[in-house]
Amino acid sequence: EIVMTQSPATLSVSPGERATLSCRASQPVFTSLAWYQQRPGQAPRLLIYDSSTRATGIPARFSGSGSGTEFTLTISSLQSEDFAVYYCQQYHNWPPYTFGQGTRLEIK
Amino acid sequence: ELQLGESGGGLVQPGRSLRLSCEASGLNFDHYAMHWVRQAPGKGLEWVSGISSDGRTVAYADSVKGRFTISRDNAINSLSLQMDSLRIEDTAFYYCAKDRIRFLGPNWFDSWGQGTLVAVSS
């Protein structure tokens, strides 16, 4: 089973600033990586797939990068609605599909 | 508009059974594989099970294998999860999630329901 590790656990950033979230895989997953956003009390929402492709309707301020074992989600100019928990998920080696433990993005 | 709606959650004693359902609308349900993903309160996401569009291929996480059974009825756009021999550690919100294609494979989950809470406690 591939273990996904996200860092940091909590990230404090001011509105309008840039946020950079990291995700590491225990084995190479090539670019088989997705990012999800989960706002409080809501279901997860797909943001990025194939490491860098934005899902339908996702604003351009969200971008993903990386391959192999190291991945990054960048939010270029934080809006109030972006403060949430973010999860990465690998789908290269399945089952199981595995998620990181999440990064909580909070207002500084 | 695509909608996924889970139901069937509740409070149940350890060792008992529960059946979850997910009703889908706004999509060609029989065109897509479907999954169950759970989230213990305050914790992260854990994939539980997946099923291909025709129901012939299924997969389970080791933590539920032999206790949970996934199924679907394409005639009524419904996904189910039969959960037997429930344990305290099965307590979680259970989400149904849509795959991007028909087959189980290297895929992500592009739409999610709002979840239903299963609480296992004596």
Side-chain angles (χ1 to χ4, degrees):
Chain A
E1 174 177 325
I2 296 179
V3 177
M4 308 301 292
T5 303
Q6 292 184 241
S7 61
T10 302
L11 182 62
S12 299
V13 183
S14 300
E17 296 293 304
R18 174 189 297 258
T20 302
L21 290 67
S22 297
C23 174
R24 173 176 293 178
S26 61
Q27 305 171 34
V29 298
F30 299 86
T31 56
S32 299
L33 186 107
W35 289 93
Y36 301 86
Q37 176 194 66
Q38 187 175 34
R39 294 171 177 150
Q42 295 188 17
R45 175 177 72 143
L46 176 69
L47 297 176
I48 300 283
Y49 60 90
D50 287 348
S51 178
S52 61
T53 304
R54 278 189 304 278
T56 302
I58 301 303
R61 65 180 182 275
F62 290 90
S63 63
S65 64
S67 66
T69 61
E70 301 286 341
F71 300 88
T72 300
L73 174 69
T74 301
I75 311 170
S76 60
S77 179
L78 282 163
Q79 308 297 304
S80 58
E81 62 266 28
D82 300 335
F83 292 95
V85 180
Y86 293 83
Y87 295 95
C88 61
Q89 175 229 337
Q90 70 81 23
Y91 47 89
H92 174 69
N93 191 343
W94 63 276
Y97 304 90
T98 51
F99 295 86
Q101 81 281 16
T103 290
R104 180 178 305 276
L105 181 57
E106 64 177 28
I107 300 175
K108 185 174 182 179
Chain B
E1 179 189 1
L2 189 158
Q3 290 191 333
L4 299 172
E6 301 91 339
S7 61
L11 177 62
V12 61
Q13 293 179 326
R16 305 298 291 265
S17 298
L18 206 59
R19 187 177 183 89
L20 305 183
S21 295
C22 172
E23 307 301 323
S25 61
L27 76 163
N28 292 318
F29 183 70
D30 61 353
H31 286 192
Y32 300 101
M34 296 292 294
H35 302 264
W36 289 98
V37 179
R38 69 184 179 184
Q39 184 174 37
K43 302 298 184 182
L45 301 169
E46 179 189 16
W47 175 81
V48 172
S49 182
I51 186 168
S52 60
S53 62
D54 61 4
R56 294 181 180 182
T57 305
V58 298
Y60 299 95
D62 286 347
S63 58
V64 306
K65 198 173 294 182
R67 301 187 300 121
F68 289 12
T69 303
I70 191 171
S71 62
R72 63 191 296 160
D73 186 341
N74 289 341
I76 58 171
N77 291 356
S78 181
L79 174 73
S80 296
L81 185 68
Q82 176 67 37
M83 303 186 295
D84 299 323
S85 302
L86 280 162
R87 304 169 180 170
I88 290 174
E89 55 265 35
D90 294 319
T91 294
F93 287 92
Y94 284 73
Y95 297 98
C96 65
K98 172 187 164 292
D99 203 308
R100 66 183 182 99
I101 59 173
R102 296 178 180 270
F103 308 108
L104 293 184
N107 302 324
W108 54 91
F109 313 129
D110 60 10
S111 294
W112 299 61
Q114 286 303 304
T116 187
L117 178 61
V118 173
V120 184
S121 175
S122 54

